[in-house]
Amino acid sequence: MTNQRDIHLYTAPTSNGWKPIIFLEEAGIKYDITSVDFAKKEQKAPEYLKLNPNGRIPTIIDRSNNNFVVFESGAILWYLAEKYNKFLPKNSDDKSLTLQWLMFQMANIGPIMGQAMYFQRIAAKLGEQHPFAIKRYVKESRRLMEILNTHLKGRQYLVADEYTVADIATYPWARAYYWAKLSVDGLPHLNAWFDRIDAREATQRALEIPEPFWAFFGKGDIEELERENAERFKDDV
Ligand SMILES: N[C@@H](CCC(=O)N[C@@H](CS)C(=O)NCC(=O)O)C(=O)O
């Protein structure tokens, strides 16, 4: 007899790291979790690189499928959606739309907002000032938020008025606009979508696993959290 659960998740409290947690909490699936400590560079350890060659979180191992490993948060969400038959529309066009918005998050919102966050909250804090990069990434991030806002007009969720993996991927990024020093003023449909997802208990519970990082959402001692977070990346400069 073993108490091991099917899914073993390696993650950390970040926008990408929360995606599989949101899925699993929403779907009511029990899972094992290993919190990866960036301060100790655990994401770059040789053992971890065998699971995730990119040296980043999240990663899952599916013990019920010959320890099949999945890395890249979008691929993890898709794998879980197919495995558990949740948060993925049945209709093939809606399924394609879900993949399109998931790709939009993975290829645009994540990388661009991630750089807006990095240059302002990490590089600047470590003494690297790059105003042009900041201007570019914040402007691009705002443009991406405007695209979401336009698309969400008259819609409850990104696709087919149901909560899908596209919402699950996009929310922990877009909702962290504070950390990217990005204004979402004047974007009523995006803000209404935030309110709708903020009201989902399982999603909010997920944001406290493996531990909260409230600074992403403008709460807590921002100065201290910013300092602590930047410290983890001090070898970058
Ligand atoms: N495209 C990857 C990006 C993963 C990623 O950048 N993860 C960040 C946290 S949000 C990370 O592990 N950072 C640690 C590092 O850069 O060493 C995914 O979506 O899984």
Side-chain angles (χ1 to χ4, degrees):
M1 275 292 276
T2 167
N3 289 326
Q4 288 189 331
R5 275 86 181 241
D6 289 353
I7 301 295
H8 187 152
L9 168 65
Y10 293 79
T11 196
T14 71
S15 298
N16 288 320
W18 282 312
K19 292 175 192 172
I21 305 176
I22 294 174
F23 182 102
L24 292 160
E25 291 293 322
E26 284 277 355
I29 292 155
K30 299 262 184 275
Y31 53 100
D32 290 326
I33 190 163
T34 295
S35 186
V36 176
D37 188 344
F38 291 168
K40 295 186 184 146
K41 290 269 175 278
E42 286 177 352
Q43 76 278 22
K44 311 293 181 206
E47 280 311 301
Y48 185 75
L49 291 175
K50 284 184 198 154
L51 305 174
N52 185 325
N54 196 24
R56 297 198 161 192
I57 58 91
T59 306
I60 60 165
I61 300 177
D62 183 354
R63 293 179 175 126
S64 66
N65 182 22
N66 294 317
N67 290 325
F68 188 68
V69 177
V70 190
F71 75 108
E72 282 294 322
S73 59
I76 293 172
L77 287 178
W78 201 259
Y79 180 86
L80 293 172
E82 291 199 315
K83 177 180 174 77
Y84 294 108
N85 211 9
K86 296 248 190 209
F87 307 121
L88 200 55
K90 306 269 174 291
N91 169 295
S92 62
D93 288 358
D94 288 340
K95 201 170 167 181
S96 167
L97 284 165
T98 304
L99 186 57
Q100 291 170 47
W101 285 101
L102 178 63
M103 291 286 187
F104 178 69
Q105 185 285 309
M106 291 295 294
N108 299 274
I109 297 174
I112 296 292
M113 275 186 84
Q115 295 305 320
M117 292 170 179
Y118 188 89
F119 279 102
Q120 297 180 95
R121 302 286 187 184
I122 298 175
K125 201 79 193 167
L126 296 172
E128 283 284 331
Q129 308 295 339
H130 293 276
F132 183 75
I134 292 173
K135 194 168 143 198
R136 154 112 185 130
Y137 290 124
V138 171
K139 195 169 160 213
E140 265 298 279
S141 298
R142 168 73 192 195
R143 189 183 70 79
L144 296 169
M145 295 304 105
E146 288 172 4
I147 292 170
L148 287 178
N149 184 62
T150 302
H151 177 73
L152 284 163
K153 184 174 180 198
R155 291 188 169 90
Q156 296 286 306
Y157 292 111
L158 288 170
V159 181
D161 276 344
E162 52 176 293
Y163 194 53
T164 69
V165 287
D167 300 288
I168 293 176
T170 307
Y171 173 82
W173 276 103
R175 188 65 180 79
Y177 60 85
Y178 173 87
W179 193 243
K181 298 196 183 180
L182 177 64
S183 165
V184 291
D185 290 352
L187 304 177
H189 314 298
L190 179 65
N191 279 292
W193 178 79
F194 286 155
D195 291 345
R196 223 165 275 134
I197 303 179
D198 287 349
R200 296 182 74 99
E201 246 177 64
T203 294
Q204 294 313 310
R205 190 168 63 241
L207 299 182
E208 298 195 32
I209 302 170
E211 61 188 84
F213 190 66
W214 296 125
F216 269 38
F217 310 103
K219 295 184 218 158
D221 183 345
I222 305 295
E223 268 290 306
E224 176 58 12
L225 291 165
E226 201 181 43
R227 195 194 54 73
E228 256 176 40
N229 185 58
E231 185 70 9
R232 295 185 185 125
F233 295 94
K234 64 176 188 304
D235 295 345
D236 287 7
V237 294

